Amino acid sequence: MKSSSDNTPIAVPSGNFSGQFRVVHRNPTTGKLDTTKKSNLVLTISTATGYKITGDTVLYHAGSYGDFSMNSAYIQFIDKTIPANATGILPKIHLSGTYQYAYDGTNFQIQAANDTLAYQYVLKKTN
């Protein structure tokens, strides 16, 4: 993490977090929610070294690493493993971009959503 965009003191997550990554789809016709994809992931995060995703990265989510920055409401991940010439949809989901988050010192929840799709990371500190 390089800097915060405001002066609000924030608890910066650091260490190892494990839990579930989910893709939740809302059917625009019925309004019903469907968790379509799940992976058990490990997020290692530190202001000194950035972040790294490991764990179940075979089907839906890519293993990756990069830098992050955050303020009191949002966290931004800059994935260094996405090819510079990548266009369109990647074969696997990467932890990249800006997300809303909640962190209480133990539980770390990260989410990005639009009208019909949400990416959710529900993680718990392991050390």
Side-chain angles (χ1 to χ4, degrees):
M1 181 180 94
K2 303 299 182 229
S3 67
S4 176
S5 65
D6 63 24
N7 293 326
T8 305
I10 56 174
V12 178
S14 182
N16 294 321
F17 296 82
S18 66
Q20 199 171 71
F21 164 73
R22 301 183 287 223
V23 177
V24 180
H25 177 260
R26 184 182 64 79
N27 184 308
T29 304
T30 66
K32 291 185 179 184
L33 297 177
D34 175 34
T35 303
T36 58
K37 299 174 184 173
K38 297 180 187 178
S39 299
N40 292 315
L41 298 178
V42 175
L43 170 65
T44 303
I45 191 166
S46 161
T47 56
T49 59
Y51 77 96
K52 179 170 70 170
I53 289 284
T54 58
D56 181 8
T57 58
V58 175
L59 293 176
Y60 305 119
H61 204 288
S64 61
Y65 62 90
D67 295 321
F68 74 99
S69 62
M70 61 192 302
N71 63 26
S72 60
Y74 296 97
I75 186 165
Q76 181 179 31
F77 296 94
I78 302 163
D79 187 336
K80 293 182 178 181
T81 67
I82 297 175
N85 61 352
T87 59
I89 298 173
L90 297 170
K92 294 182 186 177
I93 297 162
H94 288 248
L95 181 56
S96 182
T98 303
Y99 299 77
Q100 290 182 306
Y101 78 94
Y103 179 57
D104 66 6
T106 301
N107 300 294
F108 190 21
Q109 296 183 1
I110 307 165
Q111 177 172 302
N114 63 28
D115 290 342
T116 60
L117 191 65
Y119 292 157
Q120 299 175 337
Y121 298 80
V122 181
L123 308 169
K124 188 168 189 166
K125 189 168 179 78
T126 57
N127 67 2

